Structure formats: C-alpha cells, structure tokens
Amino acid sequence: NLLAARGEGGPWIVTHLDVFPPYEHPQPFAARVEGEELVGRGAVDTKGQIAALLWALERSTGPVQVALVVDEEQLGRGSEALEVPPGVVGAVVLEPTGLRIAPAEAGSLGLSVLVAGKAAHGTMPWRGTSAVDLAFALYERLLSAHFTSHSHPLFERGGWVNLGRIHGGYDTMVVPTRCELEMDVGFAPGLSAEGVAEEVHEALAEAEAVQITDAWDPWETPPGAEILARLEEAVRAAGLSLRHWGMPSWTDAANLVRKGVEAVVFGAGDLAVAHTWREALPLAQLHSLAQVLSVFLDTDC
C-alpha cells in the first residue's frame, strides 16, 4: 500500500493500484488514445482515477488522506490492512461509476459448485446421468431464486448471477460424470449474505458439493452523511448534473465500511468495460473527475 497525508483529517481518498489479470488480452501492457478515449488495460479500473486524483492534489490545498492499495482484484487484503486515519470525515473510493455518486454497494457470494453424474456410453446417454445437463438445470433453478427478483432504486438489478466458468466431461463418447461451476452472486441492499446463501443452498441441493468461497453483505451510506453531502456539493460546483447510482461490484469501500467509515464510490468511466479486452475511458469524463476532485479537496466540511 502507498499512503500519503496532507494535514490532518479531511476526506480519505482510496483506490487500488493492482489491475485485473491480462488473461488473453491482445495488448495488456500498451495504453493509447483513440479518438476521445483513453484505451488500455486498467484505464478505468483504476489508472485513470489515479491520474485524476494526482492532478487534483497538485491543484488543491485542503487536508486529505490518500491510500492507494493492492490486491483489490483478488482478496482485498490491501484495504483490509488499512488503519483509519484520525479525524477523517469519510471515504471516497475511486472506481468507474460514470460520474454518478454511489452511496450504496451490492453484497456478493462467490460459489464453487460440483455436480456429479453417472457414466454411460456416449451413444446411449439415456442409460447414464449427465452431470453437465444437471448443472445447467441447477443453474436455471438458481436464476429463479427469490433474491433475483429483489429490487432497489439505485441498482439496475437487485439480484443477479454470473456463471463465470464451467468445466465438465471428458469425451463425446461418455456421459459426463462431473461438472464444475464457478459463479458470482450479487444482491443490492435489503438482502443479507446469510439469507441469500440459504436460497443458494436450497436451489443447488442436488449438487454434490456447494462451497461459498466469499461472502459480503451490501452496505448503504445514509443520505445525511457528511462525506456524501460534500461530494454532492463538489459535483454541483464543477458544473455536472447530480446523479446517484448503486455500485454492483465489490470495492475497497466494503472493507472501509467494516471499519466504521462512511463511504461513497465515485469515478469516471463505465464499469461494464472494466476487465474487458477494450477497456476505454472517455477523456471528457477523466477531465471532469479531476475538476470535481480538485473542488472537493478544497471544500470545507
């Protein structure tokens, strides 16, 4: 972690230094400007946010605490290890929100599921039980669980499931006896990780094994919070329209909230393009973020 302070107290600005793994990214280590966009792995998540913060720090004088942390894309150990600076009025976690203020964040469950079947010759599949077929049936059942119909005014979806990885079978000439699924389950405030976990186990009761690899409750900062009001004032002062949003992804703010810090998530760019092979950040939004942060850091609490 890289920590810095100017004066005492003030807002706590937190974002992460690590970048999503390159996997099959065609140009993982080359950034470029195409038209009106900055394109490159990590452009919005969160190298652009850091650039805007550095620009704003140079052009402001108010007290501020800064933490650039590691490991956000994996286990969140960077923000977990932070100690809350004395006197901070709250935290702004820089992540792509399209310049919308996110005073709420979804909860999540990580799932690892093993489904078992019964082998048979591939030309007589009716004599066996396909683990792959059963896995898809259980996945469809999970999509019909009650939490997926949950709603919240700040979130596009109140509950969702992403099947991120599936592996099963050996050969077309044998009915698959094993299928492994890895899923991420998200849910807006109003639900708990414990309650959603109960629904998950009920929907996947026919699986051989269901392991919850990660569990986080959602959080929501109250409307009257000082850090929220201060950021809203800065957005207006920078000439931007004031919009609110629910952050569907886990961020380091979750660890800060666990430490008792009121937090909001804010930043430039579209979250949907993060982790993709064409991660792009509109330059106009980058400039607007820098201006908002500059005003924000000089606004009295």
Side-chain angles (χ1 to χ4, degrees):
N1 290 346
L2 177 61
L3 309 179
R6 183 168 65 198
E8 297 181 356
W12 196 12
I13 311 295
V14 180
T15 191
H16 61 94
L17 293 162
D18 59 316
V19 181
F20 194 70
Y23 294 119
E24 298 177 358
H25 198 296
Q27 295 178 288
F29 308 113
R32 59 200 184 278
V33 173
E34 293 183 359
E36 297 301 317
E37 292 183 318
L38 174 65
V39 180
R41 173 172 159 262
V44 300
D45 192 17
T46 60
K47 302 304 185 183
Q49 323 298 332
I50 294 173
L53 172 61
L54 296 177
W55 188 94
L57 287 168
E58 287 184 351
R59 290 160 178 80
S60 61
T61 59
V64 61
Q65 313 300 311
V66 175
L68 306 181
V69 302
V70 298
D71 197 45
E72 191 271 350
E73 299 291 1
Q74 297 294 330
L75 300 176
R77 291 171 295 186
S79 55
E80 183 181 10
L82 291 176
E83 295 183 4
V84 180
V88 294
V89 298
V92 174
V93 175
L94 300 178
E95 292 277 359
T97 67
L99 298 177
R100 296 167 291 186
I101 298 174
E105 183 173 292
S108 62
L109 294 177
L111 300 180
S112 180
V113 181
L114 172 63
V115 180
K118 177 184 175 183
H121 193 277
T123 61
M124 302 182 72
W126 56 90
R127 297 286 291 273
T129 302
S130 170
V132 173
D133 287 350
L134 179 56
F136 277 118
L138 295 180
Y139 171 63
E140 291 292 335
R141 191 176 301 167
L142 184 60
L143 292 180
S144 299
H146 180 263
F147 75 87
T148 61
S149 61
H150 177 60
S151 63
H152 187 286
L154 292 179
F155 288 80
E156 297 176 29
R157 297 282 183 90
W160 58 92
V161 179
N162 180 51
L163 174 54
R165 193 182 75 88
I166 180 169
H167 177 76
Y170 305 99
D171 190 280
T172 58
M173 283 293 102
V174 60
V175 173
T177 60
R178 182 184 181 94
C179 186
E180 300 172 11
L181 309 175
E182 291 184 6
M183 293 180 278
D184 181 72
V185 172
F187 43 96
L191 298 177
S192 68
E194 182 179 4
V196 173
E198 290 178 1
E199 291 189 45
V200 166
H201 282 294
E202 182 179 350
L204 304 179
E206 293 181 58
E208 184 76 8
V210 177
Q211 180 183 6
I212 295 180
T213 57
D214 204 18
W216 290 85
D217 283 318
W219 58 264
E220 189 166 11
T221 295
E226 187 172 358
I227 191 69
L228 176 56
R230 179 170 173 172
L231 183 56
E232 290 173 339
E233 181 181 346
V235 167
R236 292 192 192 97
L240 300 181
S241 59
L242 185 61
R243 299 175 297 153
H244 294 88
W245 191 55
M247 186 64 176
S249 175
W250 188 94
T251 74
D252 289 305
N255 272 326
L256 308 188
V257 170
R258 281 188 172 184
K259 298 174 189 292
V261 178
E262 292 184 323
V264 293
V265 183
F266 182 70
D270 182 4
L271 176 65
V273 303
H275 300 181
T276 69
W277 305 156
R278 193 184 186 282
E279 190 171 335
L281 173 58
L283 295 175
Q285 286 199 28
L286 178 62
H287 297 157
S288 294
L289 174 61
Q291 292 169 343
V292 170
L293 291 176
S294 180
V295 174
F296 175 75
L297 294 177
D298 274 340
T299 302
D300 290 333
C301 292

